Amino acid sequence: MNKELMEALDILEKEKEISKETLFEAIENSLITACKNHFGKADNVKVEIDRETCDFLCYAEKEVVEEVEDDVLQISLEDAQEISKKAKLGDMLHVEIKSKEFGRIATQNAKNVILQKIREEERSVIFNQYYEKEKDVVTGIVQRYIGRNISINLGKADAVLNESEQVRGENFRPTERIKVYILEVKNTPKGPRILVSRTHPELVKRLFESEVTEIKDGTVEIMSIAREAGSRTKLAVRSNNPNVDAVGACVGINGARVNSIVDELCGEKIDIVNWDENPGNLIQNALSPAKIVAVFADPDEKTAKVVVPDYQLSLAIGKEGQNARLAARLTGYKIDIKSETQAKDAPGFRYEDYVYDDDEYDEEAYEDEEYAQEGYEEEYEEEDYDSVDSEEAEYDEESYEEDPEQADPEA
């Protein structure tokens, strides 16, 4: 029994995850290649390897003839009878080939065939392993900067974090562990090429799936997500169980769950709101923490008109329009935001559509009311904005408490 060969195959199978059958086939092909280099042809050469003992037999099928014209394909009757006394003219005889008789070049070629097969299989195994993780989050170790790109070790392969997929302001040190989202895995002659991202919205979604048990088991669903990497993310969630609060499950006790994700994203703010099938309610939730007086949404045109109290206009729009922009991306609606004063001055605005009671707003009475919006100066559309670099004012939906005094427009 060839113990050394068996041990070598076991190690290769364990470390590189290459099946023994593939390695046996590589050895068989290498011996056939060696025979071709030694004899000039190998059409009649066969190799058999015992999978249990690793003993191998290399032989050539030769025809028994009276006069030998090609000693690679034919054998004389006299020589054949020395191997087998039963041999006769026309028989096909198996003549053993001693691999020890191969020359140095033939042996070297056989070795190269085996190594090449091992490299190909190793690349194939790595490609398949990471191709299955495409569109998923993995943990990597920062290795070095290649120009403005970053090389990240994922274990058995290196990934590239391009400059366009980096969050502006994030700086990593070598050996630092970070989580990245696998964008694409390409199979190249030099091995798999893996592209990863830190800016993709799915990164936040996958982090919540790994952190929140309710999302993992399907009790809570992430319905929509809008992100400006490095600044703020808005997340719309809903619960499939009436006894489970979707927002509370994502936030966790004392914010433990969401805070761990915020730390992984280097302090990026995350707003979590309830999903609603009613577009008006969804838009109102998406513009949180701003208070909304009235919302009129047109599902056909995918547009929405929103009125907010005068003192809430800047909060609803957000710094450099970020809050309105993210709300538009989250809901898929073009959102037109106006203060109450601006709405009153707009043509066609009917003051009587808004009910007042002791100078306080009754918000429920205002929802879904239709009012004219011609002449509005500010519109926020999803595609009209790029990501902003400046740091956004912090609006924490969970900690926001409605102050009854703020309902008074005179306050």
Side-chain angles (χ1 to χ4, degrees):
M1 181 176 177
N2 195 335
K3 292 184 178 180
E4 292 182 358
L5 179 58
M6 179 65 76
E7 291 175 358
L9 295 179
D10 288 337
I11 292 173
L12 283 172
E13 185 177 40
K14 183 177 180 180
E15 292 184 355
K16 301 192 179 291
E17 298 182 7
I18 303 175
S19 67
K20 280 186 180 180
E21 186 60 34
T22 300
L23 295 171
F24 281 130
E25 292 177 0
I27 295 172
E28 291 174 353
N29 293 333
S30 69
L31 289 171
I32 293 176
T33 301
C35 291
K36 186 173 183 179
N37 283 277
H38 187 72
F39 299 112
K41 61 176 68 175
D43 297 337
N44 62 329
V45 175
K46 304 292 182 183
V47 178
E48 294 180 356
I49 300 179
D50 191 319
R51 268 50 173 174
E52 299 296 330
T53 64
C54 285
D55 293 331
F56 64 90
L57 175 64
C58 184
Y59 62 89
E61 293 181 342
K62 295 186 178 183
E63 183 181 1
V64 180
V65 296
E66 290 184 359
E67 184 177 350
V68 177
E69 297 179 357
D70 187 344
D71 58 359
V72 176
L73 301 176
Q74 299 172 338
I75 187 174
S76 65
L77 180 60
E78 182 180 352
D79 293 339
Q81 289 180 343
E82 290 180 2
I83 298 174
S84 175
K85 294 181 179 180
K86 298 181 180 180
K88 57 184 179 180
L89 293 175
D91 288 350
M92 296 299 294
L93 192 66
H94 290 180
V95 180
E96 184 178 358
I97 298 174
K98 300 293 185 181
S99 58
K100 293 181 180 180
E101 297 176 359
F102 293 161
R104 180 180 62 84
I105 296 177
T107 303
Q108 185 66 31
N109 288 338
K111 175 185 174 183
N112 292 338
V113 170
I114 296 176
L115 293 177
Q116 180 66 22
K117 184 64 175 178
I118 291 175
R119 282 193 291 266
E120 290 176 359
E121 286 300 315
E122 185 177 6
R123 290 172 184 168
S124 177
V125 168
I126 294 174
F127 172 78
N128 292 332
Q129 178 179 345
Y130 286 99
Y131 185 77
E132 293 176 355
K133 296 180 180 179
E134 198 174 64
K135 312 303 180 187
D136 204 352
V137 171
V138 296
T139 301
I141 300 175
V142 177
Q143 286 188 311
R144 63 188 181 279
Y145 278 82
I146 307 174
R148 295 186 177 181
N149 301 332
I150 304 176
S151 175
I152 298 176
N153 181 265
L154 302 181
K156 294 185 178 181
D158 291 341
V160 178
L161 179 60
N162 291 324
E163 182 185 9
S164 60
E165 299 297 336
Q166 298 175 28
V167 177
R168 192 170 298 179
E170 283 187 348
N171 294 308
F172 302 111
R173 301 182 303 273
T175 71
E176 186 174 352
R177 300 178 69 88
I178 61 173
K179 290 185 182 295
V180 291
Y181 178 78
I182 297 181
L183 284 176
E184 186 180 18
V185 181
K186 299 179 180 178
N187 200 4
T188 67
K190 294 184 179 180
R193 177 176 171 81
I194 305 172
L195 302 177
V196 296
S197 173
R198 285 277 296 177
T199 62
H200 203 283
E202 287 291 317
L203 172 63
V204 181
K205 183 176 181 180
R206 298 299 182 191
L207 289 175
F208 269 98
E209 288 175 354
S210 62
E211 187 70 28
V212 181
T213 308
E214 288 81 359
I215 295 179
K216 187 181 298 183
D217 62 22
T219 304
V220 175
E221 289 184 68
I222 298 177
M223 303 301 296
S224 181
I225 185 168
R227 184 186 185 199
E228 289 189 357
S231 180
R232 182 174 291 274
T233 294
K234 280 185 179 288
L235 203 70
V237 296
R238 76 173 180 185
S239 174
N240 295 320
N241 186 337
N243 297 322
V244 176
D245 176 22
V247 174
C250 295
V251 173
I253 300 175
N254 296 325
R257 290 176 171 178
V258 72
N259 286 339
S260 65
I261 297 174
V262 169
D263 292 340
E264 179 60 41
L265 298 177
C266 301
E268 182 176 319
K269 305 300 183 294
I270 299 178
D271 294 339
I272 306 173
V273 301
N274 283 308
W275 173 267
D276 200 303
E277 296 297 337
N278 185 316
N281 294 338
L282 177 60
I283 292 170
Q284 182 172 339
N285 294 341
L287 287 171
S288 175
K291 294 175 61 179
I292 307 300
V293 172
V295 177
F296 174 74
D298 187 345
D300 297 329
E301 298 293 332
K302 287 291 182 180
T303 59
K305 302 171 183 179
V306 178
V307 175
V308 299
D310 291 354
Y311 65 91
Q312 291 278 296
L313 180 61
S314 60
L315 183 61
I317 295 173
K319 191 173 183 179
E320 298 186 12
Q322 187 187 62
N323 194 54
R325 183 166 58 250
L326 288 176
R329 293 177 184 172
L330 188 73
T331 60
Y333 278 71
K334 173 185 172 183
I335 300 178
D336 182 5
I337 302 178
K338 285 295 174 184
S339 68
E340 190 178 17
T341 300
Q342 292 170 330
K344 290 176 182 177
D345 295 338
F349 177 80
R350 293 180 300 174
Y351 186 83
E352 60 272 13
D353 288 344
Y354 296 88
V355 182
Y356 295 86
D357 183 14
D358 295 332
D359 294 331
E360 291 188 358
Y361 297 108
D362 182 4
E363 294 186 14
E364 293 182 358
Y366 302 142
E367 289 186 1
D368 298 327
E369 290 290 336
E370 183 175 0
Y371 45 84
Q373 295 292 318
E374 296 179 5
Y376 280 2
E377 299 173 359
E378 299 180 50
E379 289 187 346
Y380 295 92
E381 191 169 1
E382 179 177 350
E383 61 269 16
D384 290 339
Y385 298 90
D386 297 324
S387 61
V388 296
D389 302 331
S390 60
E391 182 178 355
E392 176 60 73
E394 297 185 5
Y395 302 125
D396 186 350
E397 179 195 11
E398 287 74 24
S399 62
Y400 179 85
E401 296 182 359
E402 181 176 350
D403 188 352
E405 294 182 359
Q406 291 183 344
D408 187 351
E410 300 298 327

